[in-house]
Amino acid sequence: MANVQFNPPESIAPFLAADKFIDLIVGPVGSTKTTASLMKIAYEAKRVEPCHDGIRRSRCAVVRNTNQQLDDTTIPDFMKWFPEGEAGTYARTGKRFFLRFDDVECEVIFRGLDDQNDVRRLLSLQLSFAFMDEFREIHPDIFNALRGRLGRYPDKSMNG
């Protein structure tokens, strides 16, 4: 992967370094919240314990209200920092990016989840962590269902 150079403002540093189960970031438009959250994906992927073969495997969901919002904003922002072909490969039909760097392989799944009717789209999903873009717009049922899917990947049979 190309060397990513992100120099966050000091106000973002506590969010990037936090290791709580839930980390939130708020701020005005243009304050690098989305970029910081995208950088945190790589940070969290690097923190995952290596599997038995030495590879740090993880799976992350990136959630936005709609697929259109993902296509218009979140995915282009992600690709700006993690270009396809340099940082990994992108499966457009499934909206999955396979991020690879150092000893990390992180599957990033982009999902548009709008309301409580979309909770079923999270059933059986095994994730390491997640990022909710524009959190205040996400329905509480989506948040609660997603929370229950975290920390389930990789499973114990893959760990070293």
Side-chain angles (χ1 to χ4, degrees):
M1 174 169 86
N3 189 13
V4 174
Q5 295 293 322
F6 174 60
N7 298 312
E10 282 186 38
S11 60
I12 302 294
F15 169 75
L16 290 172
D19 63 354
K20 306 239 184 285
F21 185 71
I22 298 172
D23 297 322
L24 301 174
I25 185 169
V26 296
V29 172
S31 61
T32 70
K33 299 178 302 292
T34 298
T35 301
S37 296
L38 296 174
M39 292 299 116
K40 189 132 178 152
I41 292 171
Y43 172 79
E44 291 296 335
K46 190 68 175 174
R47 291 184 56 223
V48 171
E49 289 294 318
C51 291
H52 58 81
D53 61 358
I55 302 296
R56 296 175 190 274
R57 288 187 177 80
S58 58
R59 185 177 294 139
C60 171
V62 175
V63 175
R64 185 82 194 252
N65 287 87
T66 68
N67 281 317
Q68 190 65 52
Q69 290 169 334
L70 284 170
D71 290 338
D72 290 347
T73 62
T74 311
I75 293 173
D77 286 346
F78 181 90
M79 295 293 197
K80 180 177 96 177
W81 289 101
F82 304 106
E84 183 178 14
E86 292 179 37
T89 55
Y90 183 54
R92 280 170 180 68
T93 54
K95 293 190 193 275
R96 293 173 187 255
F97 191 93
F98 298 91
L99 179 64
R100 291 181 179 88
F101 64 96
D102 299 338
D103 61 348
V104 169
E105 291 181 3
C106 180
E107 179 182 4
V108 181
I109 304 169
F110 296 93
R111 290 290 176 261
L113 303 172
D114 195 32
D115 59 30
Q116 64 269 26
N117 296 321
D118 287 330
V119 168
R120 69 183 178 280
R121 294 180 56 209
L122 295 170
L123 297 177
S124 300
L125 191 59
Q126 296 182 1
L127 299 170
S128 308
F129 50 92
F131 158 46
M132 301 175 91
D133 197 6
E134 298 295 344
F135 175 78
R136 71 180 181 271
E137 303 295 325
I138 303 292
H139 193 281
D141 289 349
I142 298 292
F143 171 74
N144 290 328
L146 185 62
R147 208 171 45 168
R149 312 313 310 160
L150 305 178
R152 295 171 157 248
Y153 184 88
D155 65 30
K156 291 177 178 47
S157 69
M158 298 171 70
N159 290 337

